[in-house]
Amino acid sequence: MTQIPLICNNISIENDRLLFAGQDTAELANQYGTPVYLMDENRIRERCRTYLGAIKQAFGGKGKALYASKASSFKRIYEIMKEEGMGIDVVSSGEICTVLKAGYPLSNAYFHSNNKTDADIAYAMDNGIGYFVVDNTEELLAVQAMAAKKGIRQKILLRITPGIDPHTYAAVSTGKVDSKFGSAIETGMAEEITKLALLQENIILSGFHCHVGSQVFDSDVYLRAADVMLTFISDIKQKTGYVAEELDLGGGYGVRYVAEQPEIDIRENILGVGKFIIDKCAQLNISVPEIAFEPGRSIVADAGMTLYTVGSVKKIPGYKNYVSVDGGMTDNVRFAMYGSPYTLFPAKGLHRPFDMRCSVVGRCCESGDIIQNNVPMPQDIKRGDVIACLTTGAYHYSMASNYNRIPRPPIVMLKDGESYVAVRREKVEDLVNLDV
Ligand code: LLP
């Protein structure tokens, strides 16, 4: 029997069939159709509790975990975050609107992004956003102007660039000095924007934020980021007397897409960062700010799986084999964008030898529409078979497109042996509805 990499403990094999969260994937494909995104609700809740528990333990009952909802934004996920006591990171009016529809209190939300429009700023304020995470000087002044117009005092964090290379892929590396995000310490811009923020009448500066990157496996990165940020806080205190109350260290912990990648022990990591921060603050003689982490991927990624149906199997003798499925770059753009690795295998017949190598490709009119290359599959894989792609809970639905006017798949939640639709399948009519 071929060795199946069970890269997360919500994946299992029973009677030759692939189970996800204890449920038969072939049956789910049959019930809901394909392509379909599955989400394991218990896994999402377990990850929230891991973060919240570790943060409270590390910081004597204080501290926050904010779900970076760009990883996957839909109404049901915000309801779950509300129930679990998670804060939220949002980046657009679209995400804010979804948060509000879910009945999640916007006062627990942090509004990120490097370019908020005046309309975004007004919309967020009108709905009582908790914090703006201000990226740059123009934005600071725009938030100040809008807060003055509305007669409020708005809490903000300033996004600071600590000058750290997280050694992940370039598209998600954000902590380096030349990043498009934030104000760098090295260039003096961070100090400048802090002083400017302190002068604004309608702004309450609550503290600072940094985010060094995503899919980070090197736990040292968070210690270095904390080191740089606390030194900055101490420096600012000496220069201006301002004491930061909050420090948000961003998100980024990596997850396992393939067996070769390690599984990060989030609890151990956060406890380590906590100890480092407490020692460092004592050394710098500053009080420990309230610490926030902002995980996205590590909350939802391995709670997700996509099921596809095979349409054609093309074997080009002497060259390569293609297995085409009924989804592709429209529901999973990550291989096309970043060359990301994935684990795929059939939903049934797992005893067969995986004796063929193939590219699993989508249905778009584009050669780059590939989900993964060099995938081991059984020789006799054929039209109508269901294939599962693992670890698709983060940055899949939220990055899905309608290229080639392909409707987006539904999200089906799995919980305690039951399943329910959280986002319905898009219909072709939905796509035409916007055309006037
Ligand atoms: N906080 C901020 C300010 C961020 O920009 C991000 C991610 C996070 C938190 C959450 O990071 P996470 O825990 O998910 O790594 N589309 C890419 C990932 C882009 C990440 C953008 N920012 C991908 O599919 O790999």
Side-chain angles (χ1 to χ4, degrees), residues 68 70 89 112 159 169 172 209 211 214-215 251-253 294-297 334 338 395 399:
K70 68 207 79 182
D89 144 1
H112 286 73
R159 179 159 181 169
Y169 40 104
V172 296
H209 167 276
H211 171 76
S214 197
Q215 188 62 352
Y253 280 116
E294 232 166 45
R297 190 190 310 269
R334 297 190 69 261
Y338 319 117
Y395 304 112
M399 292 175 79

mmCIF file of all heavy atoms in Angstrom, residues 68 70 89 112 159 169 172 209 211 214-215 251-253 294-297 334 338 395 399, ligand 1:
data_model
loop_
_atom_site.group_PDB
_atom_site.id
_atom_site.type_symbol
_atom_site.label_atom_id
_atom_site.label_comp_id
_atom_site.label_asym_id
_atom_site.label_seq_id
_atom_site.Cartn_x
_atom_site.Cartn_y
_atom_site.Cartn_z
ATOM 1 N N ALA A 68 -6.576 37.000 11.669
ATOM 2 C CA ALA A 68 -6.314 37.780 10.452
ATOM 3 C C ALA A 68 -7.240 37.248 9.368
ATOM 4 O O ALA A 68 -6.944 36.259 8.692
ATOM 5 C CB ALA A 68 -4.857 37.646 10.036
ATOM 6 N N LYS A 70 -8.169 37.999 6.481
ATOM 7 C CA LYS A 70 -7.838 37.887 5.048
ATOM 8 C C LYS A 70 -7.605 36.429 4.670
ATOM 9 O O LYS A 70 -7.747 36.043 3.521
ATOM 10 C CB LYS A 70 -6.599 38.734 4.712
ATOM 11 C CG LYS A 70 -5.311 38.219 5.312
ATOM 12 C CD LYS A 70 -4.296 39.317 5.542
ATOM 13 C CE LYS A 70 -4.653 40.080 6.797
ATOM 14 N NZ LYS A 70 -3.776 41.201 7.101
ATOM 15 N N ASP A 89 -8.682 40.916 12.680
ATOM 16 C CA ASP A 89 -7.963 41.853 11.810
ATOM 17 C C ASP A 89 -8.726 41.903 10.492
ATOM 18 O O ASP A 89 -9.014 40.863 9.913
ATOM 19 C CB ASP A 89 -6.513 41.362 11.701
ATOM 20 C CG ASP A 89 -5.803 41.545 10.364
ATOM 21 O OD1 ASP A 89 -6.378 42.079 9.430
ATOM 22 O OD2 ASP A 89 -4.645 41.118 10.276
ATOM 23 N N HIS A 112 -6.414 46.994 9.217
ATOM 24 C CA HIS A 112 -5.100 47.062 8.583
ATOM 25 C C HIS A 112 -5.207 47.553 7.142
ATOM 26 O O HIS A 112 -6.249 48.016 6.731
ATOM 27 C CB HIS A 112 -4.461 45.672 8.552
ATOM 28 C CG HIS A 112 -3.964 45.219 9.877
ATOM 29 N ND1 HIS A 112 -4.799 44.835 10.883
ATOM 30 C CD2 HIS A 112 -2.718 45.078 10.360
ATOM 31 C CE1 HIS A 112 -4.090 44.491 11.937
ATOM 32 N NE2 HIS A 112 -2.822 44.621 11.655
ATOM 33 N N ARG A 159 1.862 51.031 12.304
ATOM 34 C CA ARG A 159 2.571 49.878 11.760
ATOM 35 C C ARG A 159 4.029 50.236 11.520
ATOM 36 O O ARG A 159 4.343 51.135 10.738
ATOM 37 C CB ARG A 159 1.936 49.401 10.464
ATOM 38 C CG ARG A 159 2.706 48.209 9.911
ATOM 39 C CD ARG A 159 1.933 47.381 8.960
ATOM 40 N NE ARG A 159 2.747 46.261 8.506
ATOM 41 C CZ ARG A 159 2.295 45.246 7.821
ATOM 42 N NH1 ARG A 159 1.022 45.198 7.501
ATOM 43 N NH2 ARG A 159 3.100 44.266 7.430
ATOM 44 N N TYR A 169 8.753 33.166 1.333
ATOM 45 C CA TYR A 169 8.754 33.591 -0.059
ATOM 46 C C TYR A 169 8.486 35.094 -0.175
ATOM 47 O O TYR A 169 7.802 35.676 0.662
ATOM 48 C CB TYR A 169 7.826 32.767 -0.945
ATOM 49 C CG TYR A 169 6.501 32.395 -0.345
ATOM 50 C CD1 TYR A 169 5.340 33.054 -0.713
ATOM 51 C CD2 TYR A 169 6.399 31.359 0.580
ATOM 52 C CE1 TYR A 169 4.126 32.696 -0.175
ATOM 53 C CE2 TYR A 169 5.190 31.005 1.122
ATOM 54 C CZ TYR A 169 4.055 31.682 0.753
ATOM 55 O OH TYR A 169 2.860 31.341 1.303
ATOM 56 N N VAL A 172 5.248 37.292 0.466
ATOM 57 C CA VAL A 172 4.654 37.422 1.797
ATOM 58 C C VAL A 172 5.650 37.908 2.839
ATOM 59 O O VAL A 172 5.409 37.844 4.033
ATOM 60 C CB VAL A 172 3.998 36.096 2.271
ATOM 61 C CG1 VAL A 172 2.842 35.720 1.364
ATOM 62 C CG2 VAL A 172 5.005 34.967 2.348
ATOM 63 N N HIS A 209 2.523 48.130 15.952
ATOM 64 C CA HIS A 209 2.260 46.854 15.289
ATOM 65 C C HIS A 209 3.406 46.536 14.343
ATOM 66 O O HIS A 209 4.012 47.433 13.753
ATOM 67 C CB HIS A 209 0.954 46.978 14.477
ATOM 68 C CG HIS A 209 0.744 45.840 13.525
ATOM 69 N ND1 HIS A 209 1.311 45.800 12.271
ATOM 70 C CD2 HIS A 209 0.056 44.694 13.655
ATOM 71 C CE1 HIS A 209 0.967 44.663 11.671
ATOM 72 N NE2 HIS A 209 0.211 43.981 12.483
ATOM 73 N N HIS A 211 4.511 43.157 11.428
ATOM 74 C CA HIS A 211 4.211 41.829 10.866
ATOM 75 C C HIS A 211 5.348 41.519 9.917
ATOM 76 O O HIS A 211 5.544 42.237 8.941
ATOM 77 C CB HIS A 211 2.867 41.877 10.129
ATOM 78 C CG HIS A 211 2.581 40.637 9.347
ATOM 79 N ND1 HIS A 211 2.181 39.450 9.947
ATOM 80 C CD2 HIS A 211 2.654 40.374 8.018
ATOM 81 C CE1 HIS A 211 2.010 38.533 9.013
ATOM 82 N NE2 HIS A 211 2.290 39.064 7.833
ATOM 83 N N SER A 214 4.757 35.724 6.323
ATOM 84 C CA SER A 214 3.779 34.648 6.437
ATOM 85 C C SER A 214 4.460 33.327 6.110
ATOM 86 O O SER A 214 5.490 33.317 5.426
ATOM 87 C CB SER A 214 2.665 34.947 5.445
ATOM 88 O OG SER A 214 1.514 34.217 5.737
ATOM 89 N N GLN A 215 3.854 32.227 6.569
ATOM 90 C CA GLN A 215 4.428 30.885 6.376
ATOM 91 C C GLN A 215 5.875 30.878 6.902
ATOM 92 O O GLN A 215 6.814 30.456 6.237
ATOM 93 C CB GLN A 215 4.328 30.475 4.888
ATOM 94 C CG GLN A 215 4.698 29.034 4.538
ATOM 95 C CD GLN A 215 3.823 27.960 5.200
ATOM 96 O OE1 GLN A 215 3.008 28.229 6.055
ATOM 97 N NE2 GLN A 215 4.041 26.725 4.835
ATOM 98 N N GLY A 251 1.112 38.221 12.480
ATOM 99 C CA GLY A 251 0.832 36.778 12.337
ATOM 100 C C GLY A 251 2.013 36.078 11.702
ATOM 101 O O GLY A 251 3.144 36.534 11.836
ATOM 102 N N GLY A 252 1.727 34.977 11.036
ATOM 103 C CA GLY A 252 2.768 34.397 10.196
ATOM 104 C C GLY A 252 3.231 32.989 10.475
ATOM 105 O O GLY A 252 3.999 32.442 9.666
ATOM 106 N N TYR A 253 2.825 32.387 11.600
ATOM 107 C CA TYR A 253 3.333 31.018 11.852
ATOM 108 C C TYR A 253 2.950 30.083 10.705
ATOM 109 O O TYR A 253 1.811 30.083 10.236
ATOM 110 C CB TYR A 253 2.784 30.474 13.173
ATOM 111 C CG TYR A 253 3.526 30.977 14.391
ATOM 112 C CD1 TYR A 253 2.895 31.759 15.347
ATOM 113 C CD2 TYR A 253 4.873 30.657 14.584
ATOM 114 C CE1 TYR A 253 3.576 32.219 16.466
ATOM 115 C CE2 TYR A 253 5.561 31.115 15.700
ATOM 116 C CZ TYR A 253 4.916 31.894 16.640
ATOM 117 O OH TYR A 253 5.590 32.344 17.743
ATOM 118 N N GLU A 294 -1.520 37.837 15.668
ATOM 119 C CA GLU A 294 -2.536 38.025 14.629
ATOM 120 C C GLU A 294 -2.513 36.883 13.625
ATOM 121 O O GLU A 294 -2.239 37.089 12.442
ATOM 122 C CB GLU A 294 -2.124 39.287 13.874
ATOM 123 C CG GLU A 294 -3.121 40.331 13.703
ATOM 124 C CD GLU A 294 -2.421 41.595 13.247
ATOM 125 O OE1 GLU A 294 -1.554 41.535 12.338
ATOM 126 O OE2 GLU A 294 -2.725 42.638 13.815
ATOM 127 N N PRO A 295 -2.754 35.672 14.049
ATOM 128 C CA PRO A 295 -2.638 34.537 13.134
ATOM 129 C C PRO A 295 -3.799 34.446 12.143
ATOM 130 O O PRO A 295 -4.948 34.697 12.513
ATOM 131 C CB PRO A 295 -2.676 33.338 14.078
ATOM 132 C CG PRO A 295 -3.503 33.812 15.244
ATOM 133 C CD PRO A 295 -3.160 35.269 15.413
ATOM 134 N N GLY A 296 -3.488 34.117 10.914
ATOM 135 C CA GLY A 296 -4.523 33.845 9.923
ATOM 136 C C GLY A 296 -4.408 32.394 9.474
ATOM 137 O O GLY A 296 -5.197 31.538 9.852
ATOM 138 N N ARG A 297 -3.346 32.131 8.714
ATOM 139 C CA ARG A 297 -3.126 30.801 8.142
ATOM 140 C C ARG A 297 -3.188 29.687 9.193
ATOM 141 O O ARG A 297 -3.840 28.668 8.993
ATOM 142 C CB ARG A 297 -1.746 30.785 7.460
ATOM 143 C CG ARG A 297 -1.486 29.555 6.618
ATOM 144 C CD ARG A 297 -0.002 29.511 6.189
ATOM 145 N NE ARG A 297 0.471 30.737 5.612
ATOM 146 C CZ ARG A 297 0.456 31.042 4.314
ATOM 147 N NH1 ARG A 297 -0.002 30.171 3.455
ATOM 148 N NH2 ARG A 297 0.928 32.203 3.888
ATOM 149 N N ARG A 334 -2.608 29.500 -5.474
ATOM 150 C CA ARG A 334 -1.339 29.577 -4.740
ATOM 151 C C ARG A 334 -0.157 28.914 -5.442
ATOM 152 O O ARG A 334 0.971 29.354 -5.297
ATOM 153 C CB ARG A 334 -1.506 29.061 -3.309
ATOM 154 C CG ARG A 334 -2.482 29.930 -2.503
ATOM 155 C CD ARG A 334 -2.510 29.631 -1.022
ATOM 156 N NE ARG A 334 -1.282 30.020 -0.381
ATOM 157 C CZ ARG A 334 -0.293 29.217 -0.078
ATOM 158 N NH1 ARG A 334 -0.388 27.921 -0.336
ATOM 159 N NH2 ARG A 334 0.800 29.658 0.483
ATOM 160 N N TYR A 338 2.720 31.440 -6.156
ATOM 161 C CA TYR A 338 3.913 31.288 -5.308
ATOM 162 C C TYR A 338 4.649 29.975 -5.512
ATOM 163 O O TYR A 338 5.641 29.709 -4.826
ATOM 164 C CB TYR A 338 3.529 31.334 -3.815
ATOM 165 C CG TYR A 338 2.502 32.358 -3.412
ATOM 166 C CD1 TYR A 338 1.273 31.966 -2.890
ATOM 167 C CD2 TYR A 338 2.765 33.724 -3.523
ATOM 168 C CE1 TYR A 338 0.320 32.900 -2.486
ATOM 169 C CE2 TYR A 338 1.818 34.655 -3.127
ATOM 170 C CZ TYR A 338 0.603 34.242 -2.616
ATOM 171 O OH TYR A 338 -0.327 35.172 -2.220
ATOM 172 N N TYR A 395 -6.342 31.388 2.504
ATOM 173 C CA TYR A 395 -5.953 32.038 1.241
ATOM 174 C C TYR A 395 -6.388 31.229 0.014
ATOM 175 O O TYR A 395 -5.711 31.213 -1.001
ATOM 176 C CB TYR A 395 -4.446 32.319 1.221
ATOM 177 C CG TYR A 395 -4.010 33.158 2.407
ATOM 178 C CD1 TYR A 395 -3.209 32.628 3.414
ATOM 179 C CD2 TYR A 395 -4.438 34.475 2.543
ATOM 180 C CE1 TYR A 395 -2.836 33.385 4.521
ATOM 181 C CE2 TYR A 395 -4.062 35.236 3.649
ATOM 182 C CZ TYR A 395 -3.265 34.690 4.627
ATOM 183 O OH TYR A 395 -2.901 35.446 5.718
ATOM 184 N N MET A 399 -9.017 34.177 -1.869
ATOM 185 C CA MET A 399 -8.291 34.617 -3.074
ATOM 186 C C MET A 399 -8.929 34.056 -4.354
ATOM 187 O O MET A 399 -8.349 34.170 -5.434
ATOM 188 C CB MET A 399 -6.819 34.161 -2.999
ATOM 189 C CG MET A 399 -6.038 34.885 -1.910
ATOM 190 S SD MET A 399 -4.362 34.242 -1.735
ATOM 191 C CE MET A 399 -3.529 35.038 -3.110
HETATM 192 N N1 LLP B 1 -1.208 40.434 10.052
HETATM 193 C C1 LLP B 1 -0.914 41.142 8.954
HETATM 194 C C2 LLP B 1 -0.720 42.568 9.038
HETATM 195 C C3 LLP B 1 -0.795 40.473 7.719
HETATM 196 O O1 LLP B 1 -0.474 41.169 6.630
HETATM 197 C C4 LLP B 1 -1.010 39.075 7.650
HETATM 198 C C5 LLP B 1 -0.906 38.365 6.377
HETATM 199 C C6 LLP B 1 -1.345 38.395 8.830
HETATM 200 C C7 LLP B 1 -1.428 39.101 10.021
HETATM 201 C C8 LLP B 1 -1.608 36.919 8.869
HETATM 202 O O2 LLP B 1 -0.525 36.165 8.477
HETATM 203 P P1 LLP B 1 -0.632 34.571 8.531
HETATM 204 O O3 LLP B 1 -0.770 34.170 9.985
HETATM 205 O O4 LLP B 1 -1.836 34.175 7.756
HETATM 206 O O5 LLP B 1 0.595 34.097 7.907
HETATM 207 N N2 LLP B 1 -1.735 35.154 0.178
HETATM 208 C C9 LLP B 1 -0.520 34.639 0.818
HETATM 209 C C10 LLP B 1 -0.424 35.084 2.247
HETATM 210 C C11 LLP B 1 -0.468 36.589 2.390
HETATM 211 C C12 LLP B 1 -0.352 37.019 3.819
HETATM 212 C C13 LLP B 1 -0.725 38.448 3.939
HETATM 213 N N3 LLP B 1 -0.692 38.964 5.260
HETATM 214 C C14 LLP B 1 -0.507 33.122 0.704
HETATM 215 O O6 LLP B 1 -1.456 32.556 0.180
HETATM 216 O O7 LLP B 1 0.471 32.483 1.114
#
